[in-house]
Amino acid sequence: MKRNKTVLVTGGAGFIGSHLVEELLQKGQKVIVVDNLSTGSLKNIEHLKKNKEFHFIKGSILDENLMEDLIKKVDQIYHLAAVVGVRMVLGKPLNSLLTNIKGTEIVLKEAAKRKTKILLASSSEVCGKDDNIPFGEEDDRTYGSVYNDRWVYAFAKGVDEFLGLAYWREKKLPVVIVRLFNVIGPRQTGRYGMVVPTFVKQALSKGPITVFGDGKQTRCFADIQDVVIALVKLMVAKNAEGHVTNLGSDYEISINQLAKKVKGLTGNYSSEIIYVPYKKAYPDGYEDFRRRVPNISKIKKTINYRPSVGLEESIKRIIKYYDNK
Ligand code: UDP
């Protein structure tokens, strides 16, 4: 009889991780989550604790003994643990550099001992500041000065991609690298400034909706449900091994339009849309992107990726989540 796989999810108590764990459990897999709860939360996984196939360990990916012990036991690893958010890095880059580079190296090194299949979560941040639309996996990129911490996250995730590819080439470790572009859904907090949960909470509390800059900057938002389904498919797609693959939506919307949409969908027309100058919104040295659009032709070919949750439906689900809280 075919044995169900045992899967390790690092960062499994986070927003993306907790949704991924749900999907894996639903597929009958046994899941071990390791999370240091720095930005992840027990609340995100509370409802999974009654499932006997689910195991949670509070710990750090920097703990080599723990990682060695856990990785020995599993068939697959989703490596999602990271210091998240560009703004978390400002002023204290060391923790991000160590976690996002050294932590990933520890996980890769342990995986390589048994050639355990691993999916590394990367970020659209690695695309840098080029106005290269849509951004392809192989495109060149430009980063800001080494004295500006704003670029630490982009560099670190870029090093993770290099590390993943090097382990694939030199150690024959089966690695899948996925660049995530603006994923949204329930459980994402606005704490780190993310725009959709922030707008939803502002509209629901009938407060002003804070658009930064002129609001003409654009993003593409991908629904968490589409994203986790794609992650599970990418994990087993032979043609994704040794590759970096973009994962996101290519439906582009300005932040102005987004604010209006959220306002309309909450039914709260009394919320005012206000404009906050970048200087007030962000600490010194922060640079925003004008546009960010992934080229998703590769993932369409690799796993026949067809996102099924549109932006409105996705926002409605987030509104429902915050309404019930
Ligand atoms: N943003 C905004 N108001 C907010 C939070 C964010 O106008 O309260 C803008 C932000 O300046 C950026 C966009 O929304 O242009 C997306 O921001 P987010 O932090 O969600 O993602 P990222 O910038 O990393 O793509």
Side-chain angles (χ1 to χ4, degrees), residues 255-294:
I255 301 303
N256 276 328
Q257 289 167 304
L258 178 73
K260 285 188 201 134
K261 213 180 246 307
V262 170
K263 193 171 148 167
L265 289 170
T266 53
N268 175 16
Y269 296 97
S270 61
S271 258
E272 196 191 345
I273 295 177
I274 59 163
Y275 289 86
V276 183
Y278 278 128
K279 266 194 162 39
K280 273 201 184 156
Y282 291 115
D284 272 354
Y286 192 85
E287 278 176 66
D288 195 24
F289 297 108
R290 288 310 282 173
R291 292 176 75 190
R292 182 188 277 150
V293 183

Side-chain angles (χ1 to χ4, degrees), residues 85-87 124-125 150 181-182 184 188 192-199 202 209-213 215 217-219 221 255-256 258 274 276 278 281-282 286-290 292:
V86 180
R87 268 146 284 177
S124 59
E125 270 292 315
R150 192 248 171 267
F181 284 70
N182 292 82
I184 59 168
Q188 184 179 39
Y192 312 106
M194 271 90 179
V195 67
V196 174
T198 303
F199 282 4
Q202 289 172 333
I209 298 177
T210 54
V211 170
F212 298 165
Q217 68 271 33
T218 67
R219 294 292 186 275
F221 298 97
I255 301 303
N256 276 328
L258 178 73
I274 59 163
V276 183
Y278 278 128
Y282 291 115
Y286 192 85
E287 278 176 66
D288 195 24
F289 297 108
R290 288 310 282 173
R292 182 188 277 150

Side-chain angles (χ1 to χ4, degrees), residues 43 59 121 129 152 154 165 188 196 198 226 228 255 258-259 281 283 290 296 298 311:
K43 274 196 222 132
K129 54 161 117 182
V152 162
L165 292 176
Q188 184 179 39
V196 174
T198 303
D226 285 326
V228 295
I255 301 303
L258 178 73
R290 288 310 282 173
I296 54 171
K298 184 169 178 177
L311 181 59

